[in-house]
Amino acid sequence: MRAHVLCALILSATGLLVTGCLDRDLKPLNPCTVSGVVEKIQVSNVEKVDMLFMIDNSNSMGEEQASLALELPNLMSVLASGDINGDGTPDFPPVKDLHVGVISSDMGTGGFSVPTCLEPNFGDDGVLRTEGNTSIPGCTATYPSFLEFRADSGADPTAFANDFRCVAQMGTGGCGFEQQLEAVLKAITPSTCTDPWCRFNMDTRGKADTENAGFIRPDSLLALVLLTDEEDCSAADPELFNPSSSVYSGNLNLRCFSYPTAVHPVERFVDGYLATRENPDLLVYAAITGVPPDLVSNPDAISYDSILGDERMMEAVDPTDPNRLAPSCNVPGRGLAFPPRRIVRVAQQIEAAGGNSIVQSICQANFSPALNAIIEKIANALKGACLPRDLVPNEHGKVGCDVVEVLAPDKHCSEVPGRELIRNEPDGREVCRVTQLAGDRTSGAPPSGDGWYYDDFTADTIDRCGADGQRISYTDRAEPITGTLVRLECLQPVQAIPGTDPGDITIGSSCTRDCAAAGYQCDATSNTCQKQCASDADCSAAGLAGWKCGGSEALAFCQNPTCG
């Protein structure tokens, strides 16, 4: 039986909030259970992907654009088929509906006249490109602002990729002050946005609902792909670009390095990018940039701290050329790339916030490894994330959680098996509770009914998440309707001893750990480690001041009195 995975919000027994890969400390509401704010998230059966390519069009990027163009047919073919290894079997749900758009790194210079910046005010302004490269055989002069591919239309992925190549291989001549992060932010931010990151230079607004309208959909996975060999120079103060500035002096080529407070903080972009998705796990941020190849050779084991701490990634004036920074990597015959510290820090912070990030090196002979790593990251998001913290099943194999769904307009709980109508939202949408099931952990078989189950035992989960991994799965007929918002609400017993290391076995730890090794016993009812006692004095002697001995005479445990 096929299982459908939910990338869900978990409130775990350790007091941590988990959504995708996000871990944030939460304070317990009381010493007995952990609860918290319920958040809406998107189900994992995503059928739509919106891919935005930010391509550096400064003078050093001609060969890099050509290398990317060579790999595009394979990228599109894999996304359309779901088949990564070419064996004819999908490795992830194929993308049924794909939007692809392209922007450049040219955002102008705030009105100041600077060599190489032909349009000084706004440059290309984060607007999706419609110009085709007519020097490439088969390319026309204009294209739609974004290209659409629907698998059910019979369209050819290779022909779609060739059209994309006509737009993506835009050539060079763009502004030498690349504002890669700002270009992406302006492209995906709606003009109606009122958050702090929504205003841009010269008091302009975002383009998502104006020139770029229709590109980003609310129920899609959004992939932001950056191709650049330079560090980001998204200026908070355009005066930075003024060659005659009385505020910012020195070499114009080094202004962004010399005055780091004149550029926007990276948190602006992290917040702005994450704001586009209700569920951060449906955001993929990918950068092919000037990181030394050896630091990202294993995409499954990338350490952002190691990248940022490497001496080649440190920014310093090149002792052989005082007009530039020292390069971070080099491709013989192609050119140099420079330390992209800001771009990497955005990746680090997005991943820490529950999104998906991948950084690859532009200093490679071809971009096949880099795009394969991006495909894997998109595939993982489409398949649903593994849960980084385990829940504690009871003796029946169920966890103390409810899955609650808010359906799309005009959808009904009765349309999907395993649902119970709870109420209606003020806007009329139905809210359902999904039936929790328990599978056979001995055989590894999913349950046979309709509903969801805590999955730490099926072969698919073990293959995907590892022997100690877990996730939330749906049975075949109970897969959520596309567009459904889901909450996973859990109350788990904790009663943990204040001040203990989270890695220690404490009261409230799962019985899958060795309770006896810490002097505890397994309570089969809650499947958690507890301190057995005969009297209140046993609890005090165990360091549980104020706790009471309660339960039956045959099986009594120390209990926090506030737990009732």
Side-chain angles (χ1 to χ4, degrees):
M1 179 178 289
R2 181 169 53 98
H4 302 282
V5 180
L6 168 67
C7 193
L9 173 77
I10 300 290
L11 295 173
S12 78
T14 57
L16 297 175
L17 175 69
V18 179
T19 173
C21 299
L22 172 62
D23 294 332
R24 287 193 281 129
D25 289 330
L26 285 179
K27 294 182 178 180
L29 297 185
N30 60 57
C32 313
T33 59
V34 175
S35 186
V37 177
V38 175
E39 296 184 12
K40 295 178 180 179
I41 61 173
Q42 185 69 39
V43 298
S44 61
N45 56 320
V46 179
E47 298 178 346
K48 303 173 184 176
V49 173
D50 301 328
M51 294 189 72
L52 177 67
F53 282 78
M54 191 298 305
I55 298 177
D56 188 338
N57 65 336
S58 62
N59 288 332
S60 61
M61 286 292 297
E63 293 187 7
E64 287 84 351
Q65 291 180 22
S67 293
L68 174 66
L70 289 174
E71 302 297 335
L72 291 176
N74 181 64
L75 171 67
M76 298 307 165
S77 178
V78 171
L79 290 177
S81 66
D83 184 6
I84 295 176
N85 55 18
D87 63 358
T89 301
D91 301 293
F92 64 92
V95 177
K96 296 181 180 180
D97 191 346
L98 177 65
H99 284 185
V100 178
V102 180
I103 59 172
S104 80
S105 57
D106 189 342
M107 294 291 286
T109 51
F112 297 106
S113 179
V114 178
T116 78
C117 299
L118 300 180
E119 204 296 307
N121 289 321
F122 304 112
D124 294 328
D125 207 25
V127 175
L128 295 170
R129 288 181 55 82
T130 60
E131 300 87 355
N133 189 336
T134 55
S135 67
I136 300 174
C139 293
T140 62
T142 60
Y143 289 87
S145 59
F146 57 90
L147 301 176
E148 301 180 76
F149 176 86
R150 292 189 59 89
D152 59 6
S153 69
D156 180 3
T158 300
F160 177 78
N162 287 332
D163 286 343
F164 178 39
R165 180 186 63 168
C166 294
V167 180
Q169 202 165 341
M170 65 183 72
T172 57
C175 184
F177 285 107
E178 296 96 328
Q179 301 186 65
Q180 302 94 322
L181 298 176
E182 188 80 345
V184 171
L185 184 62
K186 197 165 191 179
I188 64 176
T189 298
S191 62
T192 54
C193 177
T194 58
D195 290 301
W197 57 82
C198 299
R199 289 198 174 273
F200 299 87
N201 284 339
M202 303 178 74
D203 199 30
T204 56
R205 308 307 296 259
K207 303 294 184 178
D209 58 343
T210 53
E211 289 95 325
N212 298 345
F215 172 60
I216 299 177
R217 294 162 289 184
D219 55 349
S220 68
L221 181 146
L222 176 60
L224 309 175
V225 184
L226 287 70
L227 178 70
T228 180
D229 60 359
E230 296 266 9
E231 172 65 303
D232 170 69
C233 186
S234 297
D237 183 3
E239 176 71 17
L240 186 68
F241 303 134
N242 182 0
S244 305
S245 175
S246 59
V247 179
Y248 305 107
S249 60
N251 192 317
L252 194 61
N253 291 328
L254 300 176
R255 288 272 180 91
C256 300
F257 163 70
S258 301
Y259 298 97
T261 59
V263 296
H264 287 292
V266 296
E267 289 75 15
R268 164 185 170 88
F269 306 107
V270 175
D271 292 342
Y273 298 170
L274 288 169
T276 62
R277 305 292 86 183
E278 286 196 80
N279 174 14
D281 201 55
L282 293 182
L283 176 69
V284 174
Y285 171 88
I288 304 174
T289 187
V291 174
D294 59 285
L295 297 180
V296 292
S297 58
N298 182 359
D300 297 324
I302 290 177
S303 168
Y304 293 110
D305 287 336
S306 297
I307 293 173
L308 293 170
D310 191 276
E311 62 179 2
R312 293 166 292 179
M313 286 288 293
M314 301 301 171
E315 292 181 302
V317 176
D318 189 344
T320 66
D321 185 348
N323 292 312
R324 70 183 190 193
L325 297 179
S328 52
C329 59
N330 183 15
V331 178
R334 177 180 292 175
L336 307 173
F338 300 89
R341 296 186 61 82
R342 288 166 52 80
I343 293 171
V344 172
R345 285 173 57 207
V346 170
Q348 182 182 40
Q349 292 186 29
I350 284 178
E351 190 161 286
N356 302 280
S357 297
I358 185 73
V359 171
Q360 288 290 284
S361 179
I362 200 170
C363 294
Q364 303 181 71
N366 68 78
F367 292 151
S368 178
L371 289 180
N372 286 340
I374 293 173
I375 289 171
E376 287 281 359
K377 188 64 67 171
I378 293 174
N380 287 342
L382 291 173
K383 288 190 289 187
C386 304
L387 302 176
R389 300 251 192 277
D390 60 344
L391 297 171
V392 183
N394 61 22
E395 68 269 32
H396 304 296
K398 295 183 179 181
V399 292
C401 305
D402 278 332
V403 167
V404 178
E405 299 179 344
V406 181
L407 301 186
D410 301 322
K411 300 296 182 181
H412 304 285
C413 298
S414 58
E415 295 178 21
V416 190
R419 269 63 173 180
E420 170 194 1
L421 175 64
I422 302 174
R423 65 178 185 277
N424 290 91
E425 293 281 81
D427 61 4
R429 291 183 297 169
E430 291 191 358
V431 181
C432 326
R433 180 183 291 112
V434 188
T435 302
Q436 183 180 177
L437 307 170
D440 186 347
R441 281 172 162 72
T442 302
S443 66
S448 57
D450 297 320
W452 71 277
Y453 59 100
Y454 178 62
D455 186 0
D456 62 350
F457 60 91
T458 64
D460 187 54
T461 292
I462 293 171
D463 179 63
R464 168 105 169 90
C465 304
D468 298 322
Q470 57 279 318
R471 59 185 182 178
I472 300 301
S473 298
Y474 283 91
T475 54
D476 273 346
R477 297 198 318 143
E479 181 180 3
I481 301 172
T482 299
T484 299
L485 296 175
V486 179
R487 299 192 302 248
L488 180 63
E489 304 170 356
C490 297
L491 289 177
Q492 290 287 110
V494 288
Q495 296 195 42
I497 305 170
T500 54
D501 188 313
D504 293 341
I505 300 173
T506 70
I507 292 174
S509 294
S510 168
C511 288
T512 56
R513 307 180 70 183
D514 186 3
C515 300
Y520 302 126
Q521 295 77 36
C522 179
D523 174 17
T525 301
S526 66
N527 199 29
T528 59
C529 299
Q530 302 292 336
K531 179 62 180 178
Q532 197 167 356
C533 57
S535 68
D536 293 349
D538 291 339
C539 300
S540 297
L544 302 172
W547 289 41
K548 304 296 183 181
C549 187
S552 66
E553 291 184 6
L555 194 64
F557 295 105
C558 295
Q559 300 176 3
N560 191 312
T562 62
C563 297

